[in-house]
Amino acid sequence: MRPHYLTPLFSPRTVAVVGASDRPASIGQAVFANLLASSFQGKLFPVNLNHKVVGGMPAVASVRQIEEPVDLAVVVTAIRSLPAVIKDCGKKGVKAVLLAKEFSDSEQLEQELINEAQSIARHFGIRILGPNVLGLMRPVAGFNASNYTGKVRPGNLALVSESSALCAAMLDWADSKEIGFSSVVPLGGALDVGFGEILDYLVADNATQGILLHVHHIHDARRFMSALRAAARTKPVVVIKSGRFENDASGLTHASNLVASGDAFDAALARAGVLRVSSIAQLFTAAKVLAANYRVGGRRLAIVTNGFGPGMLAADSAVDYGVELAKLSEGTVKLLDSVLPRNWSHGNPLDIIGDASPMRFRTAVKACVDDPGVDGVMVIFTPQAGTDHLTTAQLMIGLQRETTKPLFLSWLGDAKVSESRELFSKAKCAHFRAPEYGIEVFRHLADYQRNQQLLLQTPGPLEGLRNDPDVNTARKVMDAALAEGRTVLSERESKQVLAAFHIPVNPTTLARTADLAVKQAAKIGYPVVLKIDSPDIIYKSDVGGVELNISNEETLRAAFDAIIARTRQARPDARVDGVSVQPMRKRRFARELMVGVARDAGLGPVIAFGAGGIAVEVMRDLALSLPPLNDYLVDSMIGQTRIGQLLGPFKNLPPVDVDELRHVLLQVSEMVCELPQLREMDINPLVADEQGVIALDARIFVGPARADQKRYGHMAIMPYPTHMVVCAKLRDGTPVMIRPIRPEDADMQQAFVRNLSEESRYNRYLSSIKQLSQSMLVRFTQLDYDREMALAMTRDGDGGDGGEEMLAVARFITDPDNEACEFALEVADDWQGRGIGTLLLQALFDAAREQGLKLMRGEVLAGNKGMLKLMHKLGFSVEPHPEDRALTLVLKTL
């Protein structure tokens, strides 16, 4: 495998410091001194226009005067020299530049210089990190190209931050806690290299086991989410965000007004499979625990203690943190009754009495660990007469080694239990001075586990829907409004769009006069509802524009006139088209819900679900998710809300038809996927009961779709590309399917690789592997379809059990420039020579063209004659590899 393209930045062999200086307190002096003082094994070259010696080393006036190749140039000169410095680096062949000095972009001249430098860098293929005021550190390699004066320990965590100041504070805090780093990357202005590419490098970095991110702004949501999801599939990622509520949504619908930017960001992180925390302390604690491979299966916690008071306080903390106190099984309680004193608490928290011996602690904790209804155990020890803190600690350490369920250990006190704490530290057990800290970490682990499950969801835009929506009709309604210069659809138009996506709606007709309203009511049947119809009035109740339960003509005429009069008085400027007439839906057991769509400035559309009706803004009972959705994601949304707990049987209420509710949310997800014109939407109330669901009111806001945007380009998460699923036949008539790979294909992918011959495995992986490692399996089956594609050719299994057999796989990974990609192909030995390679690669070419890629390349063993023959047939150019004679480079213009 070729080195990552950011290797010259992170692991340079030769470094030039442009602006290296002996002048005290200068950035050039600080950065060069740190490089000299570090244990960097590569070569350093000071570059200074005015001095021939810097730091006792001979200096040159230009990078071009350095005789050896230069991997990285660290630039700390004034901004006026930046374009010339970048040009020199380009002519020298430097591939990476670190701007270890912050520039202002507020002055027009400085911005012009920065733009010129960027243009030169792009011409020469130079990647730029920065500008930032801190620099770059790679502690595991002894590389410190920064002006940071504190101690930075080597370790297995990577820190990436938008703020140099916050980064420095994090480093100071981490040193006091003896936490080390593989890399420290302040992004600063991020002129070129951003979060996405840094994460891409760290995923492949063996020295990094966990990633810490500080995020303030997201400049490219799709690329950020793509990289974040790729990273989170193989390594724990913990995020802290600043400016959480500085961009609160200010839309016109209930959904938009209730959705803060911080909430949308949380929803995005959840779908990315990462963990969000709110403080620096939480950031490092969560990262250490995750990197140590602590995992939980759920939110159910057992508390074991020899002190009633600490146990109850811990239980209170669990409730405050949203942690569920586990209910012990009958078998566990029976076991504990037989071994514990008669006056133990007989429940959770487990108070095993103050004089608890080490073996009593072990017995109680082991019983909880063995209970399938327990996901983790909080063990609280209080030093009392007859207790043995050290032996108890030793038994807990041993027990933790026997189980995959985490133990959270809190030995209360100080001097008396200090020896136990040292023991925990040496054994790398999760221990805390106060139980609430451990419970908080357990909550984070539960959140992380849930988010990892969300990450696995790859719904397609049409998945699980009963029949295809009438997308064209919905688009015509929206486009007609936009052609009239309107951005708000009327209730009637909004319901037309919903009906096109098979969402049940209360039928609505427009009456411009009371006489027409009477005729419509007679046709519909009393009782009816009257609502003001105006494109300028969003919330009809605010102007007295709604009359319910109208049972006869006389009442209707009076209500019609009253609605018009109240509206004219409240909004004399509003355009009134008339009054809508609708059936009055009386449902005895109905729950009022709301489904909405908000548009976040950075993340695009966000779907909201919660309690509806007129109290929606008071209750603020809302759950969010980024589209696309599937059943799992819909159920997760519903489960997060308070109203969700009222959808089942409750007192005298029968359960609502959850299948119908799920259907509506899936259809809303489909609307968001297929209608980039949709900006905001409220369905409120959406009435649900045992008979089904129906939208009583709806309002949609629209805007023009970007003509240059790719399909689903308006969304932060690329849906599963259902449109790429095709049925085909091989030359011998065998029916096959070509489709993008999904996470649930992992077992089939592993079986496919195991069944390859040694020669086929070596031709594909350039090694004699017998099967894929877990990380490779995750990488190959959990795809981000925006940056890569893997197409599997399958056929129905011979066993008649509905299973699939994988015959071949073709895949590509996009280069950072989004213009070229690298491909690979593997065909099962028994299926070679049947035209599979041609058929599958043609489908891969189409997928690459759809993403706007212009070039496909690959590396083929020079002795793989069959593959090289196929390359010639498909129009690839074939040439010797410039770096390895055993390989052949193949290229195809798409």
Side-chain angles (χ1 to χ4, degrees), residues 424-445:
F424 292 145
S425 295
K426 289 179 182 178
K428 296 184 177 179
C429 287
H431 67 102
F432 307 88
R433 288 187 174 271
E436 55 265 30
Y437 299 142
I439 292 169
E440 184 181 47
V441 169
F442 176 80
R443 194 276 310 276
H444 284 319
L445 284 172

Side-chain angles (χ1 to χ4, degrees), residues 746-747 749-750 772-782:
D747 290 342
Q749 171 79 72
Q750 188 70 282
L772 299 176
S773 66
Q774 184 59 32
S775 62
M776 289 178 70
L777 193 60
V778 169
R779 183 74 186 84
F780 284 170
T781 57
Q782 297 180 27

Side-chain angles (χ1 to χ4, degrees), residues 44 76 107 138 209 236 252 259 286 318 390 436 485 517 614 626 705 708 717 731:
L44 288 176
V76 291
E107 297 292 333
R138 182 79 168 152
Q209 294 182 18
L252 297 170
V259 175
L390 192 58
E436 55 265 30
I614 60 174
L626 268 64
D708 62 336
I717 298 175
R731 287 198 299 248

Side-chain angles (χ1 to χ4, degrees), residues 697-711:
D697 202 353
R699 184 54 59 95
I700 292 175
F701 294 78
V702 296
R706 277 177 45 190
D708 62 336
Q709 201 165 53
K710 292 192 294 185
R711 188 175 187 181

Side-chain angles (χ1 to χ4, degrees), residues 506-507 521 524-531 546-551 581-587 592 694 696:
N506 199 22
I524 292 171
Y526 289 101
V528 296
V529 177
L530 298 187
K531 299 180 184 177
V546 179
E547 289 281 354
L548 304 175
N549 206 24
I550 299 168
S551 57
V581 185
Q582 306 174 24
M584 178 70 193
R585 302 289 186 177
K586 290 184 178 180
R587 293 193 171 186
E592 288 193 336
I694 187 168
L696 297 188

